[in-house]
Amino acid sequence: MPTDELVCSRKACRDAATRAVLWRNPRIHDESRRKVWLACAEHEEVLREHLAIRGFPVTTCALDEIPDDAG
């Protein structure tokens, strides 16, 4: 999918995504599984903090750096 069609995952946000938030729930997923939320510049930190507060391993990266095994 072209990056200009990617939209932020924050509820009610329709802005273009510029970053990826990679995370997993360690109670459910082993280390090989990572989920991806997309984030606009305004919501990257909000989404990352939402997951980190819950104790989920979380990192962020540019859209073109999303690992093939994420999803």
Coordinates of all heavy atoms in Angstrom, one line a residue:
M1 N 0.9 -1.2 0.0 CA 0.0 0.0 0.0 C 0.9 1.2 0.0 O 1.8 1.3 0.8 CB -0.9 0.0 1.2 CG -1.8 1.2 1.4 SD -2.8 1.2 2.9 CE -4.1 0.1 2.3
P2 N 0.7 2.2 -0.9 CA 1.4 3.4 -0.9 C 1.3 4.2 0.5 O 0.2 4.2 1.1 CB 0.8 4.3 -2.0 CG 0.1 3.3 -2.9 CD -0.3 2.2 -1.9
T3 N 2.4 4.8 0.9 CA 2.4 5.4 2.2 C 1.4 6.6 2.3 O 1.0 7.0 3.4 CB 3.8 5.8 2.7 OG1 4.3 6.7 1.7 CG2 4.7 4.7 2.9
D4 N 1.1 7.2 1.2 CA 0.2 8.3 1.2 C -1.3 7.9 1.5 O -2.1 8.7 1.7 CB 0.2 9.2 -0.1 CG -0.1 8.4 -1.3 OD1 -0.1 7.1 -1.3 OD2 -0.5 9.0 -2.3
E5 N -1.5 6.6 1.5 CA -2.9 6.1 1.8 C -3.0 5.6 3.3 O -4.0 5.2 3.7 CB -3.2 4.9 0.9 CG -3.3 5.4 -0.6 CD -3.6 4.2 -1.5 OE1 -4.2 3.2 -1.0 OE2 -3.4 4.3 -2.7
L6 N -1.9 5.6 4.0 CA -1.9 5.1 5.4 C -2.4 6.2 6.3 O -1.9 7.3 6.3 CB -0.5 4.6 5.7 CG 0.1 3.5 4.9 CD1 1.5 3.2 5.3 CD2 -0.8 2.3 4.9
V7 N -3.3 5.8 7.2 CA -3.9 6.7 8.1 C -3.6 6.3 9.6 O -3.4 5.2 9.9 CB -5.5 6.6 7.9 CG1 -6.2 7.5 8.9 CG2 -5.8 7.0 6.5
C8 N -3.4 7.3 10.4 CA -3.1 7.2 11.8 C -4.2 6.3 12.5 O -5.4 6.3 12.2 CB -3.2 8.6 12.5 SG -2.8 8.5 14.3
S9 N -3.7 5.4 13.4 CA -4.5 4.5 14.1 C -5.3 5.1 15.3 O -6.2 4.4 15.9 CB -3.7 3.3 14.7 OG -3.1 2.6 13.6
R10 N -4.9 6.3 15.7 CA -5.6 7.0 16.8 C -7.1 7.2 16.5 O -7.4 7.6 15.4 CB -4.9 8.3 17.1 CG -5.6 9.2 18.2 CD -5.3 8.6 19.6 NE -6.1 9.4 20.5 CZ -5.6 9.9 21.6 NH1 -4.4 9.6 22.0 NH2 -6.4 10.6 22.4
K11 N -7.9 6.8 17.5 CA -9.4 6.9 17.3 C -9.8 8.4 16.8 O -9.3 9.3 17.4 CB -10.1 6.6 18.6 CG -11.6 6.6 18.4 CD -12.3 6.2 19.7 CE -13.8 6.1 19.5 NZ -14.5 5.7 20.7
A12 N -10.5 8.4 15.7 CA -11.1 9.6 15.1 C -10.0 10.5 14.4 O -10.4 11.5 13.9 CB -11.8 10.5 16.2
C13 N -8.8 10.0 14.3 CA -7.8 10.8 13.6 C -7.8 10.2 12.1 O -7.7 9.0 11.9 CB -6.4 10.6 14.2 SG -5.1 11.5 13.3
R14 N -7.8 11.1 11.2 CA -7.7 10.7 9.8 C -6.5 11.3 9.1 O -6.4 11.3 7.9 CB -9.0 11.3 9.0 CG -10.3 10.8 9.6 CD -10.5 9.3 9.8 NE -10.3 8.5 8.6 CZ -9.9 7.3 8.6 NH1 -9.7 6.6 9.7 NH2 -9.7 6.6 7.4
D15 N -5.5 11.7 9.9 CA -4.3 12.3 9.3 C -3.4 11.2 8.7 O -3.5 10.0 9.1 CB -3.5 13.0 10.4 CG -4.1 14.3 10.8 OD1 -5.1 14.8 10.1 OD2 -3.8 14.8 11.9
A16 N -2.5 11.5 7.8 CA -1.6 10.6 7.2 C -0.6 10.1 8.2 O -0.1 10.8 9.1 CB -0.9 11.3 6.1
A17 N -0.4 8.8 8.2 CA 0.6 8.2 9.1 C 2.0 8.5 8.6 O 2.2 8.5 7.4 CB 0.4 6.6 9.1
T18 N 2.9 8.8 9.5 CA 4.3 9.0 9.2 C 5.2 8.1 10.0 O 6.4 8.0 9.6 CB 4.6 10.5 9.6 OG1 4.4 10.7 11.0 CG2 3.8 11.5 8.8
R19 N 4.7 7.4 11.0 CA 5.5 6.5 11.8 C 4.7 5.2 12.1 O 3.5 5.2 12.0 CB 5.9 7.2 13.1 CG 6.6 8.5 13.0 CD 8.1 8.3 12.7 NE 8.8 7.7 13.9 CZ 10.0 7.2 13.8 NH1 10.7 7.3 12.7 NH2 10.6 6.7 14.9
A20 N 5.5 4.2 12.5 CA 4.9 2.9 12.9 C 5.2 2.7 14.4 O 6.3 2.9 14.8 CB 5.4 1.8 12.1
V21 N 4.2 2.2 15.1 CA 4.4 1.8 16.5 C 4.3 0.3 16.6 O 3.3 -0.3 16.3 CB 3.3 2.5 17.4 CG1 3.5 2.1 18.9 CG2 3.3 4.0 17.3
L22 N 5.4 -0.4 16.9 CA 5.5 -1.8 16.9 C 5.4 -2.3 18.4 O 6.1 -1.8 19.2 CB 6.8 -2.3 16.3 CG 7.2 -1.7 14.9 CD1 8.6 -2.0 14.6 CD2 6.2 -2.3 13.9
W23 N 4.5 -3.3 18.6 CA 4.3 -3.7 20.0 C 3.8 -5.1 20.0 O 3.5 -5.7 19.0 CB 3.3 -2.8 20.6 CG 1.9 -2.8 20.0 CD1 1.5 -2.2 18.9 CD2 0.8 -3.6 20.5 NE1 0.2 -2.5 18.6 CE2 -0.3 -3.4 19.6 CE3 0.6 -4.5 21.5 CZ2 -1.6 -4.0 19.7 CZ3 -0.7 -5.1 21.7 CH2 -1.7 -4.8 20.8
R24 N 3.8 -5.7 21.2 CA 3.2 -7.0 21.4 C 2.8 -7.2 22.8 O 3.3 -6.5 23.7 CB 4.3 -8.1 21.1 CG 5.4 -8.3 22.0 CD 6.4 -9.4 21.6 NE 7.5 -9.4 22.6 CZ 7.5 -10.1 23.7 NH1 6.4 -10.8 24.1 NH2 8.5 -10.0 24.5
N25 N 1.8 -8.0 23.0 CA 1.3 -8.3 24.4 C 2.0 -9.6 24.8 O 1.8 -10.7 24.3 CB -0.2 -8.6 24.4 CG -0.8 -8.9 25.7 OD1 -0.1 -9.3 26.6 ND2 -2.1 -8.6 25.9
P26 N 3.0 -9.5 25.7 CA 3.8 -10.7 26.1 C 3.0 -11.8 26.7 O 3.4 -12.9 26.8 CB 4.8 -10.1 27.1 CG 4.3 -8.8 27.5 CD 3.4 -8.3 26.5
R27 N 1.8 -11.5 27.2 CA 1.0 -12.6 27.8 C 0.3 -13.4 26.7 O -0.1 -14.5 27.0 CB -0.1 -12.0 28.7 CG 0.4 -11.4 30.0 CD -0.7 -10.8 30.9 NE -1.5 -9.8 30.2 CZ -1.3 -8.5 30.3 NH1 -0.3 -8.0 31.0 NH2 -2.1 -7.7 29.7
I28 N 0.3 -12.9 25.5 CA -0.4 -13.6 24.4 C 0.6 -14.0 23.3 O 0.5 -15.1 22.7 CB -1.5 -12.7 23.8 CG1 -2.6 -12.4 24.8 CG2 -2.2 -13.4 22.6 CD1 -3.6 -11.3 24.4
H29 N 1.5 -13.1 23.0 CA 2.4 -13.3 21.8 C 3.8 -13.6 22.3 O 4.3 -12.9 23.2 CB 2.4 -12.0 20.9 CG 1.1 -11.6 20.5 ND1 0.5 -10.4 20.9 CD2 0.1 -12.2 19.7 CE1 -0.7 -10.3 20.4 NE2 -1.0 -11.4 19.7
D30 N 4.5 -14.5 21.6 CA 5.9 -14.7 21.8 C 6.7 -13.6 21.2 O 6.2 -12.7 20.5 CB 6.4 -16.1 21.4 CG 6.3 -16.3 19.9 OD1 6.4 -15.4 19.1 OD2 6.1 -17.5 19.5
E31 N 8.0 -13.6 21.3 CA 8.9 -12.5 20.8 C 8.9 -12.4 19.3 O 9.3 -11.4 18.8 CB 10.3 -12.7 21.4 CG 10.3 -12.5 22.9 CD 11.7 -12.5 23.4 OE1 12.7 -12.4 22.7 OE2 11.8 -12.7 24.7
S32 N 8.5 -13.4 18.6 CA 8.5 -13.4 17.1 C 7.3 -12.6 16.6 O 7.2 -12.3 15.4 CB 8.5 -14.8 16.5 OG 7.3 -15.5 16.8
R33 N 6.3 -12.3 17.4 CA 5.1 -11.7 16.9 C 5.0 -10.2 17.4 O 5.2 -9.9 18.5 CB 3.8 -12.4 17.5 CG 2.5 -11.7 17.2 CD 2.0 -12.0 15.8 NE 0.9 -11.2 15.4 CZ -0.3 -11.5 15.6 NH1 -0.7 -12.6 16.2 NH2 -1.3 -10.6 15.2
R34 N 4.9 -9.3 16.4 CA 4.7 -7.9 16.7 C 3.5 -7.3 15.9 O 3.3 -7.7 14.8 CB 6.0 -7.1 16.4 CG 7.1 -7.3 17.3 CD 8.2 -6.5 17.0 NE 8.9 -7.0 15.8 CZ 10.0 -6.5 15.3 NH1 10.5 -5.4 15.8 NH2 10.6 -7.1 14.3
K35 N 2.8 -6.5 16.6 CA 1.6 -5.8 15.9 C 2.1 -4.4 15.6 O 3.0 -3.9 16.1 CB 0.4 -5.8 16.8 CG 0.0 -7.3 17.2 CD -1.3 -7.3 18.0 CE -2.5 -6.9 17.3 NZ -3.1 -7.8 16.3
V36 N 1.4 -3.8 14.6 CA 1.7 -2.5 14.1 C 0.5 -1.6 14.2 O -0.6 -1.9 13.7 CB 2.2 -2.5 12.6 CG1 2.5 -1.1 12.1 CG2 3.4 -3.5 12.5
W37 N 0.7 -0.4 14.8 CA -0.2 0.7 14.8 C 0.5 1.8 14.0 O 1.7 2.0 14.1 CB -0.6 1.2 16.2 CG -1.5 0.4 17.0 CD1 -2.2 -0.7 16.5 CD2 -1.9 0.6 18.3 NE1 -3.0 -1.2 17.6 CE2 -2.8 -0.4 18.6 CE3 -1.6 1.6 19.3 CZ2 -3.4 -0.5 19.9 CZ3 -2.2 1.5 20.5 CH2 -3.1 0.5 20.8
L38 N -0.3 2.5 13.2 CA 0.3 3.6 12.4 C 0.0 4.9 13.2 O -1.0 5.0 13.9 CB -0.3 3.7 11.0 CG -0.2 2.4 10.2 CD1 -0.9 2.5 8.9 CD2 1.3 2.1 10.0
A39 N 0.9 5.9 13.1 CA 0.8 7.1 13.8 C 1.1 8.3 13.0 O 2.1 8.3 12.2 CB 1.7 7.1 15.0
C40 N 0.4 9.4 13.1 CA 0.7 10.7 12.6 C 1.7 11.3 13.5 O 2.0 10.8 14.6 CB -0.5 11.6 12.4 SG -1.3 12.1 13.9
A41 N 2.3 12.4 13.1 CA 3.3 13.1 14.0 C 2.7 13.5 15.3 O 3.4 13.4 16.4 CB 3.9 14.3 13.3
E42 N 1.5 13.9 15.4 CA 0.9 14.3 16.6 C 0.6 13.2 17.6 O 0.6 13.4 18.8 CB -0.5 15.0 16.3 CG -1.2 15.6 17.5 CD -2.5 16.3 17.2 OE1 -2.8 16.5 16.0 OE2 -3.2 16.6 18.1
H43 N 0.3 12.0 17.1 CA -0.1 10.9 18.0 C 0.9 9.8 18.2 O 0.6 8.9 18.9 CB -1.4 10.3 17.4 CG -2.6 11.3 17.5 ND1 -3.3 11.6 16.4 CD2 -3.1 12.0 18.5 CE1 -4.2 12.5 16.7 NE2 -4.1 12.7 18.0
E44 N 2.1 9.9 17.6 CA 3.1 8.8 17.8 C 3.3 8.6 19.3 O 3.3 7.5 19.8 CB 4.4 9.2 17.1 CG 5.5 8.2 17.4 CD 6.8 8.6 16.7 OE1 6.9 9.6 16.1 OE2 7.7 7.8 16.9
E45 N 3.6 9.6 20.1 CA 3.9 9.5 21.5 C 2.7 9.0 22.3 O 2.9 8.2 23.2 CB 4.5 10.8 22.0 CG 5.0 10.7 23.5 CD 6.2 9.8 23.6 OE1 6.9 9.5 22.6 OE2 6.4 9.4 24.8
V46 N 1.5 9.5 22.0 CA 0.3 9.1 22.7 C 0.1 7.6 22.5 O -0.2 6.9 23.5 CB -0.9 9.9 22.1 CG1 -2.2 9.3 22.7 CG2 -0.8 11.4 22.4
L47 N 0.2 7.1 21.3 CA 0.0 5.7 21.1 C 1.1 4.8 21.8 O 0.8 3.8 22.4 CB 0.0 5.4 19.6 CG -1.2 6.0 18.8 CD1 -1.0 5.8 17.3 CD2 -2.5 5.3 19.3
R48 N 2.4 5.3 21.7 CA 3.5 4.6 22.3 C 3.3 4.5 23.8 O 3.4 3.5 24.4 CB 4.8 5.3 22.0 CG 6.0 4.4 22.4 CD 7.3 5.2 22.4 NE 7.3 6.1 23.5 CZ 7.5 5.8 24.8 NH1 7.6 4.5 25.1 NH2 7.5 6.7 25.7
E49 N 2.9 5.6 24.4 CA 2.7 5.7 25.9 C 1.5 4.8 26.3 O 1.6 4.2 27.4 CB 2.5 7.1 26.3 CG 3.7 7.9 26.5 CD 4.6 7.4 27.6 OE1 4.1 7.1 28.7 OE2 5.8 7.3 27.3
H50 N 0.5 4.8 25.5 CA -0.7 4.0 25.8 C -0.3 2.5 26.0 O -0.8 1.8 26.9 CB -1.7 4.1 24.7 CG -2.9 3.2 24.8 ND1 -4.0 3.5 25.6 CD2 -3.2 2.0 24.2 CE1 -4.9 2.5 25.5 NE2 -4.4 1.6 24.7
L51 N 0.6 2.0 25.1 CA 1.1 0.6 25.2 C 2.1 0.4 26.3 O 2.1 -0.6 27.0 CB 1.6 0.3 23.8 CG 0.6 0.3 22.7 CD1 1.3 0.3 21.3 CD2 -0.4 -0.9 22.8
A52 N 3.0 1.4 26.4 CA 4.1 1.2 27.4 C 3.5 1.2 28.8 O 4.0 0.4 29.7 CB 5.1 2.4 27.2
I53 N 2.5 2.0 29.1 CA 1.9 2.0 30.4 C 1.4 0.6 30.8 O 1.4 0.2 32.0 CB 0.8 3.1 30.5 CG1 1.4 4.5 30.6 CG2 -0.1 2.8 31.7 CD1 0.4 5.6 30.4
R54 N 0.9 -0.1 29.8 CA 0.4 -1.5 30.0 C 1.5 -2.5 30.1 O 1.2 -3.7 30.3 CB -0.6 -1.8 28.9 CG -1.9 -1.1 29.1 CD -2.6 -0.8 27.8 NE -3.9 -0.1 28.1 CZ -4.0 1.2 28.4 NH1 -2.9 1.9 28.4 NH2 -5.1 1.8 28.6
G55 N 2.7 -2.1 30.0 CA 3.9 -3.0 30.1 C 4.2 -3.8 28.9 O 4.9 -4.8 28.9
F56 N 3.6 -3.3 27.7 CA 3.9 -4.0 26.5 C 5.2 -3.5 25.9 O 5.5 -2.3 25.9 CB 2.8 -3.7 25.5 CG 1.4 -4.2 25.8 CD1 0.3 -3.8 25.1 CD2 1.2 -5.1 26.8 CE1 -0.9 -4.3 25.4 CE2 0.0 -5.6 27.1 CZ -1.1 -5.2 26.4
P57 N 6.1 -4.4 25.4 CA 7.3 -4.0 24.7 C 6.8 -3.2 23.5 O 6.0 -3.6 22.7 CB 7.9 -5.3 24.3 CG 7.4 -6.3 25.2 CD 6.0 -5.9 25.5
V58 N 7.4 -2.0 23.3 CA 7.0 -1.1 22.2 C 8.2 -0.3 21.7 O 9.0 0.1 22.4 CB 5.9 -0.1 22.7 CG1 6.3 0.7 23.8 CG2 5.3 0.7 21.6
T59 N 8.2 -0.2 20.4 CA 9.2 0.6 19.7 C 8.5 1.4 18.6 O 7.4 1.0 18.2 CB 10.4 -0.2 19.1 OG1 9.8 -1.1 18.1 CG2 11.1 -1.0 20.1
T60 N 9.2 2.4 18.0 CA 8.6 3.1 16.9 C 9.7 3.1 15.8 O 10.9 3.0 16.0 CB 8.2 4.5 17.2 OG1 9.4 5.3 17.7 CG2 7.2 4.6 18.3
C61 N 9.2 3.3 14.5 CA 10.1 3.4 13.4 C 9.5 4.1 12.3 O 8.2 4.3 12.3 CB 10.6 2.0 13.0 SG 9.3 1.0 12.3
A62 N 10.2 4.5 11.3 CA 9.7 5.1 10.1 C 8.9 4.0 9.3 O 9.1 2.8 9.5 CB 10.8 5.6 9.2
L63 N 7.9 4.5 8.5 CA 7.1 3.5 7.8 C 7.9 2.6 6.9 O 7.5 1.4 6.7 CB 6.0 4.3 7.0 CG 5.0 5.1 7.8 CD1 4.1 5.8 6.9 CD2 4.2 4.2 8.7
D64 N 8.9 3.1 6.3 CA 9.7 2.3 5.4 C 10.7 1.3 6.1 O 11.4 0.6 5.5 CB 10.5 3.1 4.4 CG 11.5 4.1 5.0 OD1 11.5 4.2 6.2 OD2 12.2 4.8 4.2
E65 N 10.7 1.4 7.4 CA 11.5 0.5 8.3 C 10.7 -0.6 9.0 O 11.3 -1.3 9.8 CB 12.3 1.3 9.3 CG 13.2 2.3 8.7 CD 13.9 3.2 9.7 OE1 13.5 3.2 10.9 OE2 14.8 4.0 9.3
I66 N 9.4 -0.7 8.7 CA 8.6 -1.8 9.4 C 9.2 -3.1 9.0 O 9.3 -3.4 7.8 CB 7.1 -1.6 9.0 CG1 6.6 -0.3 9.4 CG2 6.3 -2.8 9.6 CD1 5.2 0.0 8.9
P67 N 9.6 -4.0 9.9 CA 10.1 -5.3 9.6 C 9.0 -6.2 8.9 O 7.8 -6.0 9.1 CB 10.4 -5.9 11.0 CG 10.5 -4.7 11.9 CD 9.5 -3.7 11.4
D68 N 9.5 -7.0 8.1 CA 8.6 -7.9 7.3 C 7.8 -8.8 8.2 O 6.7 -9.2 7.9 CB 9.4 -8.8 6.3 CG 10.0 -8.0 5.2 OD1 9.4 -6.9 4.9 OD2 11.0 -8.4 4.6
D69 N 8.3 -9.1 9.4 CA 7.6 -10.1 10.3 C 6.6 -9.4 11.2 O 5.9 -10.0 12.0 CB 8.6 -10.8 11.2 CG 9.4 -9.9 12.2 OD1 9.4 -8.7 12.0 OD2 10.0 -10.5 13.1
A70 N 6.5 -8.1 11.1 CA 5.5 -7.3 11.9 C 4.1 -7.4 11.2 O 4.0 -7.4 9.9 CB 5.9 -5.9 12.1
G71 N 3.1 -7.4 12.0 CA 1.8 -7.3 11.3 C 0.7 -7.7 12.2 O 0.0 -7.7 13.0

